[in-house]
Amino acid sequence: MSIPARTASATRPGFDPDAALARLAAGDRAPRLRHVHEVPARAAQLADWPDWVDPSVYAACAGTGVTSLWSHQREAADLAHAGSHVVMATGTASGKSLGYLLPVLTALVEGSTAPTGRGATALYLSPTKALAADQLARVQGLAVPGVRAATYDGDTPTEERRWIRDHAQLVLTNPDLVHHSLLPLHERWAPFLRRLRYVVIDECHVYRGVFGSHLAALLRRLRRVCARYGASPTFVLASATVRDPGDHATKLVGLPVTPVTGDGSPREAMTFALWEPGTLEPGGAAPLVDDPGEVDLSGETPARRSATSEAADLLAELVEAGVQSVAFARSRAGVEALATSCRRTLEEVQPHLAGAVAAYRGGYLPEERRELERALRTGRILGLAATNALELGIDISGLDAVLLAGWPGTRASLWQQAGRAGRAGTRSLAVFVAADDPLDTYVVNHPEVVFGQPVESTVLDPGNPHVLAPHLAAAAAELPLREEDLAMFGPGARGLLDALVARGILRRRPHGWFWARSDRASDHVSLRGAGDVVGIVEKRTGRVLGTVDEASAHSQIHTGAVHVHQGDTYVVTELDLTTGTATAVRGDPGWSTFAQSVSAFDIVGAQRSVTWGPVEVSFGTVRVHTQVTSFLRRLPGGEVLGTHPLELPQRTLTTKAVWWTMPVGWLAEAGVAEVDIPGAAHAAEHAGIGMMPLVATSDRWDIGGVSTALHPDTGLPTIMVYDGHPGGAGFAERAYEAFGTWLTVTRDTVQACRCETGCPACVQSPKCGNGNEPLDKAAAVRLLSAVLRHAPSTD
C-alpha cells in the first residue's frame, strides 16, 4: 500500500502495450491470443487535507510530495478519526495506507506529550512478515517526529522485544504473533493495550475461509483483552476490491464496519489479454489449433503446454524487448521453474539479459527480498517470476507488464496482480495465460466472466465450531470467560463451552469458565489451518524442510512419496503419524508419485434443500471417509512403473457440502444408461470442483468431491462437493446459493472442450484418488444438461 507521490512522472518514454502484445502474438503464436480487452483510464478525484491532521504529520507527507488526498483516503481517514470502524476496498496502488496512517500517526503524535510518551498506541496486522517490514520502512521514511514504530514477529531478537512492548507506539506484526505471544502474555503488554487507539488490518481480503474464521475469533479475543484494560480501539481495514467489503469486515471484527469503495486514485489505461498456450507435438510447441484431437486419459499427452512454460517464453520476449515485467505463478516450485526456463531461453538469444531475470517467493531471507525489490526499482531486473507474495501490497507497483500463469484463485487476485503493471503517465499490459484446468479454459473462451462481472464476495464462518472451540479455550486461558462475554463469540459459544468442560479442557466455576490444563491453550490452534501439522525432516542433517497439514500428509508425504522443496527433490523414507514427522532423504529418483485413495460419505443432515423437478439439491453437514490405499510411481513421460500398497488409517472429516441426487430411470431417459452413471457422475464431480472458484472464493485444493451411482443414505445416484476443512469454510454454501450458475458454466466448459474423451482442461483432476477412472465426458454433459433443464427460471 504505497503512499503515492502526486508529482511523479515517467522516467522514460511511454510504454506501448499494443506493440508489446503484437510482438508476443507474432507468427504462429497469433491464434493463442484469444481476447483483448481495454480497461479505460480513470481520472483522479482529489480532496482537501483534513484540518484535524497534526501539522508534523502533514509536513512529513508534504516532504514526500503528497499535499492533497484522493477522495477515498479523505473519507476513510475522517471516519477512522471520528472513531468509526472502516474498511477501504480500492484498487492496487490506490494509496490505502495513507487513509489509515493519517489518523494513526496523528493520534501517536498527540499522545507523545503524555508522561510516558505513549498517550496512544496502534497495532498493525498483516498476513505476511514482508508486508509489515514494508510498512515499517514507509513509516520510518516519513520520519514523523516523536513516532516510535517497530516490527514484532518471530524474527525479532529477544533483547528488542521488551523495548518494543514498553516503548513502541506503533507495533507492526501478524495474527500469529498476536495469537501466540501478545494475548497469552497480555500482562506484559498491559501499558501498550491500555492506550490502544487503532488496530489496522491490512489486506483483509486474504482472511477468507478457515483462515478468515480464525482471524475473526482472534479479533474477538483481542477486543475482550483490550476491554480488560479499558481500551476500545477503532478498527481500520484495507482490502483489495471485493464484493460487499463492509459485510466481510463486519464478520471479521464482530462490529459494524463502514465500507469505503469509491476509488479516487488515477489509473492509466490497461490492455488486458487472454492467452491460451499451444498444444504439444513431437516437434515441440505447436500453435493452438481448432481440434487438438483425443487426449489420452492416462495423462501421457497433455492437451497443451503448461502455463508456466508458456509464461516463461512470453517473459523472455518481453525482457528481450526491454519491457520490465513480472510473471505470477501459483507455487514456489512454479516460480523457480518459470525463472529458470526464461533465463535458459535468453541465454540462447541474448546471453547478457539472463542475469536480468530473477525469482521472488516466500522462503527467501528478508535481505534477499529487499535486494530484489531494490533491483526492480532501479531497473537492474527486467523480468521477475513471483508468487502472490508480490501481490500483497509490497511496494513494487509501476511495472510495464504482468503475466499471470494460471488462474490466481479469484477475480480480486486477478486484478490485484494485474494492477502491479502501470507507470505514472503510461499504459500497461496484463496477459492471463491459461493453465490446463477447466476454469482457465472457460475464462479464455468466456471473457465476460472476467470483464463483465464484479469481483467475488469473500466467505468465512465465525461460528465454525471446529475453529471457535479452541479459540474459546484460549480466551479462557487469557482471562476467565464470563457469561456476559459469550455474546461476542456468537450463539454457538455456550454449547461449545459445555463440550469443553465435559472433555476436561475447561472448568466451570461460579465466576466463569477457566483453563483447566497445565499446557498453553494457544499451542492447540493453528491459525492457517484447522488441525495438526506433520514436519518434514531431512534424515541426514535433521533439518526441518517444512510442514504439511495432517490431512494432506497421507497423500503428499506418505512413505515412498517424492517431495519437492524449493527446487530440491526428496524421497520420504518414513511417515510417522504418531510423532507427526516424515523423514526424507535428498535425491531425485527419476519418477514422481501419485497417491490413490478410496472415499465415501455419510449425510448427517441437510440444512437447506430445493427441488428441481426430479432432482433434489441440498446443503448441509456430511462426514467424509477417506483412506489412502496405495501410490503409483510414474516416469516423466507418464509411464507407470508400478503400484505400491500403503497401510494408512482411514480419516473422517465432518464438514459442509452441497450435493444433488437424480433418479436412475430419469437419467436413462436423458441418455445416461445405468452402466454409464459412475463415469458420468465422476466426470461431472471433477468438472464441478474445477469450476467452483468461479462462484466461491475457493481454490481447487480447498474442496473435495465424491460421487456414487447408488448412495445408501439417498438410494439414488449422488454427486457431492465438500469443503476440505473441519466444520466447513463457506465454499460449499456459496456453491449451493449459486447452483444454477455453477452447473451451467461447468456443463458449458466440458461441452466446449475440444478433446474427445476428457482431458485436464475439462474432467481430469490432478488430485483424483482413483487415477481419473472411470470418466465419461459425453455422459457428464448429458447428465448436467438434464439437471439444468429443470433449473428455476429465476436461478
Side-chain angles (χ1 to χ4, degrees), residues 184-265:
L185 304 174
H186 59 84
E187 295 91 347
R188 299 182 185 180
W189 289 85
F192 179 89
L193 292 172
R194 192 170 286 115
R195 301 295 183 181
L196 188 60
R197 183 79 61 83
Y198 291 102
V199 176
V200 175
I201 304 170
D202 208 353
E203 304 291 353
C204 71
H205 61 283
V206 172
Y207 303 110
R208 60 180 179 84
V210 171
F211 192 19
S213 301
H214 275 296
L215 185 75
L218 181 71
L219 294 179
R220 284 155 178 77
R221 286 166 51 199
L222 176 63
R223 287 171 46 205
R224 195 173 74 100
V225 170
C226 286
R228 159 68 175 78
Y229 294 103
S232 180
T234 298
F235 287 86
V236 186
L237 300 92
S239 170
T241 304
V242 295
R243 194 185 306 182
D244 203 354
D247 177 70
H248 175 63
T250 295
K251 287 181 178 178
L252 282 176
V253 176
L255 297 167
V257 179
T258 302
V260 173
T261 57
D263 195 334
S265 64

Side-chain angles (χ1 to χ4, degrees), residues 50-57 81 102-115 117-121 144-147 169 197-198:
D51 55 12
W52 51 261
V53 172
D54 188 88
S56 64
V57 176
H81 177 70
L102 290 183
V104 168
L105 294 177
T106 293
L108 301 186
V109 170
E110 292 174 346
S112 63
T113 59
R118 288 203 305 187
T121 60
V144 178
V147 171
Q169 300 154 302
R197 183 79 61 83
Y198 291 102

Side-chain angles (χ1 to χ4, degrees), residues 137 155 384 626:
D155 297 333
L384 191 71
T626 305

Side-chain angles (χ1 to χ4, degrees), residues 691-705:
M691 295 305 298
M692 197 162 159
L694 200 63
V695 296
T697 50
S698 64
D699 182 271
R700 179 191 281 275
W701 304 95
D702 289 328
I703 50 185

Side-chain angles (χ1 to χ4, degrees), residues 356-697:
V357 176
Y360 183 106
R361 58 169 177 77
Y364 287 171
L365 296 174
E367 51 268 28
E368 292 177 304
R369 291 197 300 267
R370 299 292 89 80
E371 175 56 31
L372 286 169
E373 292 160 13
R374 283 192 294 270
L376 263 182
R377 295 186 185 108
T378 60
R380 287 189 289 117
I381 288 179
L382 284 176
L384 191 71
T387 61
N388 65 353
L390 205 66
E391 171 192 333
L392 297 177
I394 306 298
D395 187 18
I396 306 292
S397 57
L399 301 164
D400 292 321
V402 168
L403 304 172
L404 300 95
W407 183 254
T410 64
R411 296 186 195 91
S413 288
L414 185 86
W415 289 109
Q416 185 87 340
Q417 293 179 4
R420 285 299 174 205
R423 293 182 179 273
T426 65
R427 295 164 61 203
S428 59
L429 172 67
V431 181
F432 167 68
V433 182
D436 232 358
D437 181 88
L439 181 55
D440 293 48
T441 301
Y442 189 83
V443 166
V444 295
N445 289 289
H446 297 82
E448 68 276 6
V449 305
V450 174
F451 305 116
Q453 297 291 331
V455 295
E456 305 87 349
S457 300
T458 52
V459 295
L460 66 136
D461 179 12
N464 182 333
H466 295 267
V467 172
L468 183 56
H471 280 281
L472 287 171
E478 291 150 9
L479 293 168
L481 275 166
R482 300 169 299 174
E483 193 77 41
E484 54 265 34
D485 295 329
L486 301 191
M488 179 184 294
F489 292 98
R494 182 57 184 269
L496 292 174
L497 287 175
D498 292 341
L500 291 170
V501 170
R503 293 168 56 190
I505 295 172
L506 297 184
R507 181 177 294 114
R508 178 72 192 274
R509 290 177 177 170
H511 299 294
W513 288 264
F514 292 73
W515 177 246
R517 296 168 53 140
S518 59
D519 54 351
R520 282 169 50 103
S522 57
D523 291 343
H524 295 276
V525 187
S526 172
L527 295 187
R528 299 173 191 264
D532 298 328
V533 296
V534 176
I536 308 168
V537 178
E538 186 176 16
K539 185 173 183 178
R540 183 177 63 85
T541 64
R543 179 170 66 101
V544 177
L545 301 173
T547 59
V548 174
D549 64 276
E550 196 270 340
S552 301
H554 292 229
S555 58
Q556 294 183 16
I557 54 172
H558 54 77
T559 301
V562 174
H563 176 73
V564 179
H565 177 77
Q566 297 188 11
D568 295 326
T569 302
Y570 297 81
V571 177
V572 177
T573 58
E574 182 185 12
L575 171 61
D576 187 338
L577 295 173
T578 304
T579 62
T581 303
T583 306
V585 295
R586 186 171 178 177
D588 188 351
W591 61 74
S592 54
T593 53
F594 299 85
Q596 295 185 302
S597 62
V598 293
S599 298
F601 66 94
D602 304 325
I603 296 174
V604 177
Q607 294 176 222
R608 285 185 276 168
S609 294
V610 63
T611 299
W612 286 15
V615 178
E616 185 170 23
V617 185
S618 302
F619 166 77
T621 302
V622 299
R623 278 192 296 266
V624 182
H625 310 285
T626 305
Q627 185 173 20
V628 175
T629 57
S630 60
F631 69 95
L632 299 176
R633 288 186 299 134
R634 182 177 288 170
L635 293 173
E639 301 91 339
V640 175
L641 294 176
T643 301
H644 306 271
L646 291 169
E647 294 185 4
L648 289 168
Q650 183 185 80
R651 298 193 73 261
T652 297
L653 171 71
T654 302
T655 185
K656 293 292 194 290
V658 55
W659 67 91
W660 69 98
T661 60
M662 304 147 289
V664 174
W666 174 79
L667 283 173
E669 294 173 1
V672 183
E674 187 170 358
V675 69
D676 298 327
I677 291 175
H682 194 197
E685 169 215 323
H686 279 186
I689 290 172
M691 295 305 298
M692 197 162 159
L694 200 63
V695 296
T697 50

Side-chain angles (χ1 to χ4, degrees), residues 704-729:
V706 185
S707 56
T708 177
L710 178 63
H711 192 273
D713 290 342
T714 65
L716 295 168
T718 306
I719 299 173
M720 185 192 77
V721 177
Y722 60 87
D723 293 343
H725 301 277

Side-chain angles (χ1 to χ4, degrees), residues 308-335:
T308 300
S309 298
E310 191 82 357
D313 286 354
L314 298 180
L315 182 61
E317 285 279 357
L318 292 170
V319 170
E320 191 177 355
V323 178
Q324 193 175 40
S325 311
V326 60
F328 284 102
R330 297 200 59 186
S331 68
R332 295 180 178 185
V335 164

